[in-house]
Amino acid sequence: MAMLRAYLVEATYDWMIDHDLTPYLLVDTEYEGVILPESHIDEDGKMLLNIAPEAIERFDCDDQFIRFDATFDGEVMSLQIPVEAVLELYAGETAQGLYAREFGYGIDVNEGDDNDVNPSKNSAQKGSGGLHLV
């Protein structure tokens, strides 16, 4: 069975792109199967990547890996990141996104303030139609 995290990563990435946000991906580079430029890995074994469409090419996320091409030091490189190696996927502008739990399995979701996510939601709550809690 495919990991739920893979579906959440892809959906979160699409949501960020749809809302013109800049997606950042924090990767645990010590995870088996990671292909990243070693010269850009920090002392903690992590790497932060801007994965906006303007910064990368050929983004693909499947059940096991995130793959894309990016330029480092003027050279194009094909990157591969196992979904399990994703520590964070968040919007640079709002910090909304997915965050791996520090201990144990699972992820936490930061949906942000309702005003950041869906401005039209407030008008529905103010009585201009739509569903409301009774």
Side-chain angles (χ1 to χ4, degrees):
M1 178 182 301
M3 288 188 64
L4 178 58
R5 184 179 296 208
Y7 287 87
L8 295 174
V9 165
E10 186 168 15
T12 301
Y13 178 79
D14 290 344
W15 178 86
M16 289 178 195
I17 300 307
D18 289 349
H19 290 87
D20 296 318
L21 298 171
T22 307
Y24 285 93
L25 185 68
L26 182 64
V27 179
D28 177 354
T29 64
E30 296 174 359
Y31 200 90
E32 186 176 334
V34 170
I35 300 173
L36 294 170
E38 292 183 21
S39 61
H40 292 272
I41 297 171
D42 71 17
E43 62 276 354
D44 293 332
K46 295 176 178 61
M47 186 170 184
L48 183 63
L49 300 157
N50 173 348
I51 58 170
E54 301 81 29
I56 65 169
E57 293 182 8
R58 301 182 330 133
F59 179 86
D60 179 55
C61 182
D62 62 27
D63 295 347
Q64 297 178 358
F65 295 100
I66 299 167
R67 295 181 180 95
F68 55 89
D69 294 340
T71 303
F72 294 90
D73 301 323
E75 189 174 323
V76 176
M77 182 176 183
S78 294
L79 309 180
Q80 174 178 284
I81 301 156
V83 173
E84 295 94 337
V86 172
L87 297 174
E88 299 176 1
L89 172 60
Y90 64 91
E93 296 83 357
T94 65
Q96 293 168 288
L98 305 175
Y99 295 86
R101 293 187 180 146
E102 187 172 349
F103 300 104
Y105 293 100
I107 58 173
D108 292 319
V109 177
N110 174 5
E111 292 186 83
D113 182 19
D114 285 343
N115 293 327
D116 293 337
V117 178
N118 187 0
S120 64
K121 183 177 179 183
N122 290 335
S123 63
Q125 291 176 341
K126 292 179 183 172
S128 62
L131 299 176
H132 60 280
L133 183 62
V134 179

